[in-house]
């Protein structure tokens, strides 16, 4: 008689500092053991490693038991994103474990702040956005259903919000009526773009929803665990933040 095959438990650490909220999760396979959410973008570099120690201790996991690290690579705050990516790479190298990068926008799109209870059971469009100043936002388009992981429909990019809203209008119009989503959710870290997003109200009516929320550790952990459990890993030396554009200093440096 064949004996059932059991996979050993794997424990992962997940980090994201792409926004003003530091998000951390300790995972056991795809189960969340502990999460931490700490506000204060200016202090991420000071608090990240102590919070890693705290998170692991409160989850009952020692550093030697961590089997992999996942990190949000942005897009988002230039300085903030670098902090988590640098910390994740350093810990992965020191502990000799794999590291994977995940999209911070994908994690935002799977935020539990607007829970499945708030959403209809049908197909939804989920559009995460982070303010990038000058009328721009880091944003993308995902399609989700219920509490399941949203599926990417559009790449992460920095976009002028007025143009992005017009593109969403075209996508909606080009979608057959019987395939249009039940709801369209914009999920963001602040309200700077709400008035622009409301430009969709005449077309979408009460299907349009705007949820202002913080980055959370659970979706960062779930996305990271998904990659790590499938044996995926990024090159620890080549993993870099996804800025989607050059910083002003880099642009000036590259000018002829």
């Amino acid at each position: 008689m064949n004996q059932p095959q059991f996979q050993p438990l794997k424990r992962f650490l997940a980090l994201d500092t792409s926004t003003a909220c530091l998000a951390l999760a300790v995972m056991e396979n795809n189960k969340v053991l502990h999460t931490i959410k700490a506000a204060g973008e200016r202090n991420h570099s000071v608090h990240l490693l102590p919070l890693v120690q705290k998170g692991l201790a409160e989850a009952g996991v020692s550093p030697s038991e961590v089997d992999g690290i996942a990190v949000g690579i942005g897009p988002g705050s230039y300085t903030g994103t670098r902090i988590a990516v640098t910390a994740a790479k350093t810990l992965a190298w020191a502990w000799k474990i794999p590291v994977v990068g995940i999209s911070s926008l994908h994690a935002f799109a799977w935020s539990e702040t607007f829970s499945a209870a708030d959403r209809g059971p049908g197909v939804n469009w989920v559009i995460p956005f982070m303010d990038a100043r000058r009328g721009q936002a880091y944003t993308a388009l995902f399609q989700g259903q219920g509490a399941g992981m949203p599926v990417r429909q559009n790449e992460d990019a920095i976009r002028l919000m007025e143009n992005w809203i017009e593109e969403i209008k075209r996508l909606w119009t080009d979608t057959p009526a019987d395939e249009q989503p039940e709801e369209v959710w914009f999920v963001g870290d602040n309200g700077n773009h709400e008035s622009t997003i409301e430009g969709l109200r005449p077309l979408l009516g009460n299907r349009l929803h705007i949820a202002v929320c913080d980055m959370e550790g659970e979706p960062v952990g779930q996305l990271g665990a998904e990659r790590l459990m499938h044996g995926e890993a990024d090159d620890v030396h080549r993993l870099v933040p996804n800025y989607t554009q050059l910083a002003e200093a880099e642009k000036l440096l590259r000018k002829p």
Side-chain angles (χ1 to χ4, degrees):
M1 180 178 178
N2 292 332
Q3 295 296 319
Q5 298 297 312
F6 294 100
Q7 295 295 324
L9 293 176
K10 296 285 187 178
R11 297 179 176 87
F12 310 121
L13 173 66
L15 314 168
D16 191 287
T17 56
S18 62
T19 71
C21 187
L22 186 159
L24 180 152
V26 182
M27 309 290 296
E28 188 172 76
N29 291 352
N30 59 359
K31 174 187 174 184
V32 178
L33 296 180
H34 189 68
T35 64
I36 291 177
K37 183 170 70 174
E41 182 178 356
R42 294 176 183 271
N43 296 316
H44 286 345
S45 60
V46 175
H47 297 304
L48 179 56
L49 291 181
L51 286 175
V52 166
Q53 294 176 322
K54 178 182 178 183
L56 290 174
E58 293 184 353
V61 176
S62 70
S64 63
E65 295 175 311
V66 177
D67 299 297
I69 299 177
V71 61
I73 61 171
S77 162
Y78 286 109
T79 302
T81 303
R82 281 199 298 268
I83 291 168
V85 171
T86 301
K89 291 169 63 172
T90 302
L91 291 175
W93 182 82
W95 294 345
K96 297 179 173 58
I97 55 176
V99 61
V100 295
I102 64 163
S103 162
S104 298
L105 284 174
H106 198 173
F108 230 163
W110 204 7
S111 171
E112 289 299 305
T113 296
F114 68 112
S115 67
D118 297 324
R119 305 193 296 269
V123 172
N124 304 298
W125 283 356
V126 185
I127 304 166
F129 67 97
M130 303 178 192
D131 184 51
R133 301 180 181 178
R134 300 175 184 174
Q136 302 175 109
Y138 302 108
T139 184
L141 172 63
F142 296 84
Q143 183 167 288
Q145 188 165 8
M149 181 188 295
V151 178
R152 181 180 295 281
Q153 304 295 308
N154 196 290
E155 291 303 311
D156 296 351
I158 185 170
R159 296 177 170 94
L160 189 65
M161 280 298 284
E162 288 184 359
N163 294 345
W164 182 226
I165 295 303
E166 291 303 314
E167 186 173 343
I168 297 298
K169 288 180 181 178
R170 287 193 294 273
L171 287 171
W172 177 273
T173 303
D174 292 343
T175 302
D178 60 344
E179 297 178 16
Q180 289 174 344
E182 290 187 3
E183 297 177 331
V184 177
W185 284 88
F186 279 80
V187 186
D189 62 348
N190 59 52
N192 288 350
H193 300 287
E194 287 191 39
S195 60
T196 305
I197 295 169
E198 282 291 340
L200 286 166
R201 184 71 63 186
L203 179 65
L204 303 182
N206 59 12
R207 295 191 189 193
L208 175 64
H209 305 275
I210 304 172
V212 177
C213 62
D214 294 324
M215 181 69 75
E216 296 174 344
E218 182 166 349
V220 177
Q222 294 283 5
L223 288 168
E226 175 76 12
R227 289 197 62 196
L228 289 163
M229 288 174 64
H230 282 85
E232 297 181 33
D234 292 317
D235 187 316
V236 70
H237 300 295
R238 295 184 179 181
L239 181 63
V240 294
N242 175 24
Y243 296 126
T244 72
Q245 69 169 359
L246 295 176
E248 288 299 321
E250 292 171 307
K251 290 178 183 176
L252 292 173
L253 186 63
R254 297 189 183 192
K255 276 188 176 181

